[in-house]
Amino acid sequence: MNERLTRAALRKAEESARAKLDFFSAEAPRIAACAERLNGAFESGAHLFAFGNGGSACDAEHLALEFMHPVIEKRPALPASALGTSSAFLSAIANDQDFSFAFAAQLQQLAREGDIAVGISTSGKSPSVLRGLAAAREQKLLVVGLSGRDGGRMSELCDFCFTVPSFSIHRIQEVHETLIHVLWDLVHVARGAEDVIG
């Protein structure tokens, strides 16, 4: 057995658990408030649009999937989409304008007042995510941001911005993934579902 790798594995797991515990201890009241606002928007017919780049694009798809295809059969599906999944559209925007307009352009076409935008950026500084959030704000969507480090400019553009105060992309992403699950769960609990998930 490689003891050095074993110790490293345990240390990284402890760092991840500590990052999550610190984040949720600080943010639980705002997470609950965000879940209530999300539920209110869904009750009014909102569609959720999630977006990000790279690993955050995967998290955006994950978030949309959680709402569209609940893991608990008794919980209803809620309308959600991940932006940026069309390579043709993304390459057209990048070629004809600039990639930083990729999400803003889609929101301007697809979103309506009262919908939900969730932008994800581990640095809080992604130009395409910031433009998307700004467009969402202009269109009067409920705007939620998931960021890391110091949050960058995201907090200025969001109704709720959840910043993981770490410079480790892995730790930030791990907290974001847990937050995605918790928000999805709390939205359904706010809708009256039984709180059965551990």
Side-chain angles (χ1 to χ4, degrees):
M1 181 184 297
N2 189 317
E3 292 186 8
R4 181 175 66 86
L5 294 181
T6 299
R7 290 195 301 273
L10 290 171
R11 175 174 50 79
K12 292 173 190 297
E14 289 171 355
E15 289 172 357
S16 181
R18 190 180 311 113
K20 292 173 187 176
L21 184 58
D22 289 348
F23 173 82
F24 284 95
S25 295
E27 296 286 5
R30 289 202 318 120
I31 293 168
C34 180
E36 289 182 332
R37 287 284 303 278
L38 290 170
N39 177 50
F42 280 124
E43 291 283 356
S44 298
H47 189 112
L48 184 151
F49 297 94
F51 49 94
N53 298 296
S56 295
C58 298
D59 288 339
E61 290 193 61
H62 182 177
L63 175 60
L65 174 63
E66 292 291 346
F67 281 104
M68 287 291 286
H69 186 69
V71 295
I72 296 179
E73 291 180 3
K74 293 181 180 179
R75 293 187 175 182
L78 296 170
S81 303
L83 301 180
T85 57
S86 167
S87 59
F89 183 86
L90 288 180
S91 60
I93 290 292
N95 183 64
D96 298 338
Q97 291 177 275
D98 184 281
F99 181 79
S100 66
F101 290 94
F103 305 129
Q106 290 178 84
L107 286 171
Q108 288 161 357
Q109 293 294 322
L110 300 173
R112 299 293 178 264
E113 182 176 341
D115 282 343
I116 303 160
V118 181
I120 308 174
S121 168
T122 55
S123 68
K125 298 177 182 178
S126 167
S128 59
V129 173
L130 293 175
R131 281 189 186 274
L133 294 172
R137 172 151 290 212
E138 289 175 8
Q139 293 173 250
K140 298 182 180 178
L141 276 62
L142 172 59
V143 185
V144 180
L146 279 60
S147 65
R149 301 183 181 179
D150 64 359
R153 286 188 48 234
M154 284 181 72
S155 62
E156 304 168 18
L157 301 170
C158 298
D159 297 296
F160 294 93
C161 184
F162 297 105
T163 301
V164 182
S166 172
F167 283 86
S168 167
I169 292 175
H170 289 144
R171 300 297 87 82
I172 295 166
Q173 289 175 330
E174 288 156 5
V175 176
H176 283 177
E177 289 163 4
T178 302
L179 178 58
I180 285 168
H181 288 152
V182 170
L183 279 174
W184 170 82
D185 190 17
L186 293 183
V187 165
H188 284 282
V189 172
R191 293 170 64 84
E194 187 178 356
D195 186 7
V196 296
I197 298 179

